[in-house]
């Protein structure tokens, strides 16, 4: 094999000791006898664009939304509610796509997402808008997982980087163009159009999927019989994930971490986790099957992707604040600092096939995450104050490293399972990344708050804010505080971001150790997936 991967072995065996190959279609969905139709690929890209745009396009319209509907104290749930719904629904949709096929799940998820978008556009207050965003998120979970699974179904291993690179380009374009589009719609039309614009895009995607995506009939002799849907397990996963992520999102914000609400929610999530394990062990077709964690390859990729979720918090959440508060850039210029990562990521993702075909999936990902760890740590070595090109260069290099890390893992782990397990496997990988991002945001946010609070408490400078809640206001209007106090605030934020990047580099090292110590050196690629 040109990838240097093995085609079997006990390192990634199914329940019977061999990788599952049941239910593998004889030809890619929608492909006929040749390549996948351009209409199917276009439908997948449009569907992925719906999920990719939802956060960036909404963020720039928040001031107009709050001005119209009120609810400033809870507007963050426009994002947290969506994230919760996507995260907890991913495993459920993954299992459903393995049971009933990708097409019905994708059609349902897209329709639900569009229904949520329409409801958001007619929301009458902030509570209704948050509820409808959760409906959107329940559809978004189907979009993210099923599109990634279909990408593996459509393309053979040697061509899979092409479709994955296109998907990465969708995310990069959305990251750059989403804020501008959201700002234009909010300024020159109405904030409700940021949701209505989803309808024609989604309708076109639905039509293309319905018309052109044809999944071949599964081999009834080889296919795994359909068992009963594990609704108790699905509800338990929803409840456990929802309570845990709610505790993480609200902890340190709505109440202190060691307060009664935080401790009660964390205890409840632990109890629900035990309940999930008990239910899934007894289920005929569990939503979260044990083999996801018993197979070394899948378990290692899940853990590594969870670490990636933590790593992503530093550039996505804290670099914009650093660029505006410490470097004094306007929001547009701050966006350019971030844009390097969104541009270099898909480029190296597309080129990663030339690396993993030579040295294998694990080694390619290990090289990428090792470079990412070094790049993240280099941020802590920047002078104060840094010049804008310096963090921009770091973001460019970070995107290049992460593109080399993520894509080989996704392509590799999808190639170790058959059709009937691919949806569950892909969903577990995305689920772990989402959970890692949520937990990382809470942990690194706590580090930032502690750093800033410590720097302000020890500073012998008058005029500093006495509460963390007042820091953002002082940074937005530095002319309202004494110059020495403003400079002290900028220094405190710079130190906090340094600590954040140090923590992110530690998460990258943890991902590297997982790959080296847990992942097999050669991924057990199935024979029908290999490249001869």
């Amino acid at each position: 094999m040109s990838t240097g991967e093995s085609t079997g072995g006990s390192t990634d065996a199914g329940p019977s000791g061999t990788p599952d190959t049941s239910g593998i279609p004889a030809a890619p969905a929608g492909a006929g006898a040749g390549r996948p139709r351009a209409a199917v690929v276009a439908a997948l890209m449009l569907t992925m664009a719906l999920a990719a745009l939802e956060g960036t396009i909404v963020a720039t319209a928040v001031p107009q939304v709050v001005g119209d509907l009120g609810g400033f104290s809870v507007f963050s749930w426009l994002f947290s509610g969506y994230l919760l719904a996507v995260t907890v629904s991913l495993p459920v949709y993954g299992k459903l796509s393995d049971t009933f096929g990708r097409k019905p799940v994708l059609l349902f998820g897209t329709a639900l997402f569009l229904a949520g978008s329409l409801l958001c556009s007619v929301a009458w207050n902030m509570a209704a808008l948050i509820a409808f965003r959760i409906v959107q998120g329940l559809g978004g979970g189907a979009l993210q997982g099923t599109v990634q699974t279909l990408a593996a179904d459509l393309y053979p291993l040697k061509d899979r980087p092409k479709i994955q690179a296109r998907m990465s380009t969708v995310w990069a374009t959305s990251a750059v163009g989403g804020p501008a589009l959201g700002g234009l719609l909010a300024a020159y039309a109405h904030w409700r159009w940021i949701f209505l614009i989803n309808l024609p895009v989604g309708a076109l995607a639905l039509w293309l999927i319905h018309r052109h995506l044809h999944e071949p009939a599964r081999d009834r002799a080889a296919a795994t019989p359909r068992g009963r849907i594990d609704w108790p397990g699905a509800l338990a996963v929803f409840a456990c994930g929802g309570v845990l992520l709610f505790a993480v999102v609200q902890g340190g914000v709505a109440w202190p971490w060691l307060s009664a609400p935080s401790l009660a929610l964390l205890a409840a999530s632990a109890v629900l986790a035990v309940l999930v394990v008990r239910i899934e062990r007894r289920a005929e077709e569990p939503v979260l099957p044990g083999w996801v964690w018993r197979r070394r390859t899948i378990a290692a990729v899940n853990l590594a992707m969870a670490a990636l979720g933590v790593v992503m918090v530093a550039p996505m959440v804290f670099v914009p604040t650093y660029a505006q508060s410490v470097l004094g850039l306007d929001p547009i210029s701050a966006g350019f600092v971030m844009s390097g990562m969104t541009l270099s990521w898909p480029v190296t993702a597309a080129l990663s096939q030339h690396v993993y075909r030579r040295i294998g999936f694990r080694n390619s990902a290990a090289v990428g995450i090792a470079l990412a760890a070094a790049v993240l740590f280099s941020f802590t070595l920047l002078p104060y104050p840094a010049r804008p090109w310096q963090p921009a260069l770091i973001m460019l290099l970070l995107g290049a490293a992460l593109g080399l890390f993520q894509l080989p893992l996704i392509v590799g782990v999808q190639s170790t399972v058959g059709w009937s397990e691919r949806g569950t496997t892909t969903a577990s990988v995305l689920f772990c990344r989402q959970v890692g991002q949520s937990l990382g945001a809470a942990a690194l946010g706590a580090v930032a708050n502690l750093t800033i609070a410590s720097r302000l408490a020890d500073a012998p400078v008058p005029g500093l804010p006495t509460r963390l809640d007042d820091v953002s206001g002082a940074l937005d209007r530095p002319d309202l505080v004494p110059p020495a106090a403003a400079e002290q605030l900028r220094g405190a934020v710079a130190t906090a971001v340094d600590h954040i990047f140090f923590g992110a580099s530690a998460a990258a090292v943890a991902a590297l150790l997982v790959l080296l110590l847990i992942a097999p050196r050669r991924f057990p690629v199935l024979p029908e997936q290999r490249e001869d």
Side-chain angles (χ1 to χ4, degrees):
M1 293 178 61
S2 56
T3 58
E5 306 296 318
S6 63
T7 57
S10 60
T11 56
D12 197 21
S16 61
T18 58
D20 174 56
T21 61
S22 63
I24 301 169
R35 289 182 175 272
R37 293 182 181 176
V40 177
V41 177
L44 296 184
M45 294 180 69
L46 287 173
T47 307
M48 185 61 79
L50 292 175
L53 277 171
E54 66 77 30
T56 57
I57 196 173
V58 172
T60 50
V62 164
Q64 288 77 14
V65 174
V66 172
D68 193 10
L69 301 181
F72 178 79
S73 61
V74 294
F75 83 87
S76 63
W77 274 97
L78 291 176
F79 308 97
S80 300
Y82 181 91
L83 177 64
L84 282 171
V86 168
T87 303
V88 299
S89 63
L90 272 168
V92 179
Y93 286 124
K95 184 61 182 179
L96 290 176
S97 76
D98 284 342
T99 304
F100 298 103
R102 324 297 186 210
K103 183 175 180 176
V105 172
L106 188 56
L107 288 173
F108 173 81
T110 304
L112 184 59
F113 184 92
L114 295 181
S117 299
L118 181 60
L119 290 171
C120 286
S121 71
V122 299
W124 52 90
N125 58 33
M126 185 62 74
L129 183 57
I130 291 171
F132 298 148
R133 283 282 286 169
I134 292 174
V135 174
Q136 254 194 324
L138 292 175
L143 303 187
Q144 291 193 29
T146 311
V147 169
Q148 290 282 5
T149 305
L150 270 169
D153 291 343
L154 283 167
Y155 280 77
L157 180 58
K158 65 178 180 178
D159 294 329
R160 202 165 297 160
K162 296 177 182 178
I163 184 66
Q164 292 288 0
R166 292 176 183 177
M167 296 302 169
S168 298
T169 302
V170 169
W171 283 96
T173 303
S174 301
V176 176
L181 179 59
L184 288 172
L185 291 174
Y188 297 104
H190 195 277
W191 64 263
R192 298 182 188 275
W193 279 99
I194 65 178
F195 300 106
L196 290 173
I197 198 173
N198 291 332
L199 301 184
V201 177
L204 178 58
L206 277 174
W207 181 80
L208 290 172
I209 294 166
H210 176 73
R211 180 72 181 273
H212 297 286
L213 178 60
H214 304 292
E215 293 188 280
R218 300 172 65 189
D219 184 349
R220 296 184 180 274
T224 303
R226 290 178 180 174
R228 298 178 59 185
I229 300 176
D230 180 25
W231 292 119
L235 293 174
V237 170
F238 263 88
C240 179
V243 171
L244 175 61
L245 293 179
F246 183 78
V248 168
V249 170
Q250 294 293 88
V253 179
W255 46 67
W257 279 108
L258 297 180
S259 65
S262 278
L263 296 177
L265 287 170
L266 292 173
S269 65
V271 172
L272 288 169
V274 173
L275 181 63
V276 168
V277 173
R278 290 176 61 90
I279 291 175
E280 296 300 81
R281 281 182 174 178
R282 299 177 180 179
E284 181 182 353
E285 291 290 336
V287 171
L288 286 176
W291 54 260
V292 169
W293 294 103
R294 286 195 296 270
R295 302 183 193 178
R296 284 178 58 195
T297 304
I298 303 176
V301 171
N302 284 342
L303 292 173
M305 294 298 283
L308 174 63
V310 179
V311 167
M312 290 303 300
V313 172
M316 293 177 62
V317 177
F318 292 98
V319 164
T321 299
Y322 173 86
Q324 295 181 63
S325 301
V326 178
L327 304 183
L329 302 178
D330 58 77
I332 296 177
S333 299
F336 279 113
V337 172
M338 276 290 298
S339 64
M341 186 179 74
T342 60
L343 295 175
S344 61
W345 190 317
V347 172
T348 53
L351 297 176
S352 65
Q353 59 178 312
H354 302 294
V355 181
Y356 68 67
R357 285 176 176 173
R358 290 180 176 273
I359 64 175
F361 295 119
R362 189 200 72 164
N363 291 341
S364 298
V367 170
I369 200 63
L371 293 173
V375 171
L376 289 163
F377 182 76
S378 71
F379 192 97
T380 67
L381 305 178
L382 290 178
Y384 174 80
R387 296 184 177 181
W389 67 265
Q390 293 172 320
L393 176 60
I394 287 177
M395 292 300 99
L396 182 72
L397 297 175
L398 180 61
L402 294 179
L404 185 60
F405 166 72
Q406 177 178 261
L407 187 61
L409 291 184
I410 293 178
V411 172
V413 77
Q414 288 179 330
S415 302
T416 66
V417 293
W419 187 96
S420 63
E421 294 179 343
R422 193 172 294 142
T424 299
T425 300
T426 304
S428 72
V429 170
L430 299 179
F431 175 77
C432 288
R433 188 182 67 186
Q434 294 281 86
V435 171
Q437 189 169 332
S438 300
L439 296 177
L444 296 180
V447 169
N449 288 339
L450 288 173
T451 301
I452 293 174
S454 175
R455 289 290 300 266
L456 297 183
D458 297 338
V461 179
L464 287 170
T466 57
R467 300 187 310 161
L468 282 174
D469 291 341
D470 298 329
V471 170
S472 61
L475 290 171
D476 290 338
R477 295 294 305 276
D479 55 307
L480 299 181
V481 297
E487 180 62 23
Q488 185 69 27
L489 277 176
R490 285 192 290 270
V493 171
T495 302
V497 175
D498 283 347
H499 291 174
I500 293 301
F501 270 80
F502 183 81
S505 66
V509 171
L512 176 62
L513 292 176
V514 165
L515 293 177
L516 296 179
L517 300 178
I518 299 178
R521 187 173 66 86
R522 296 176 181 270
F523 279 22
V525 176
L526 295 179
E528 61 275 4
Q529 292 282 323
R530 66 184 178 181
E531 301 172 85
D532 296 318

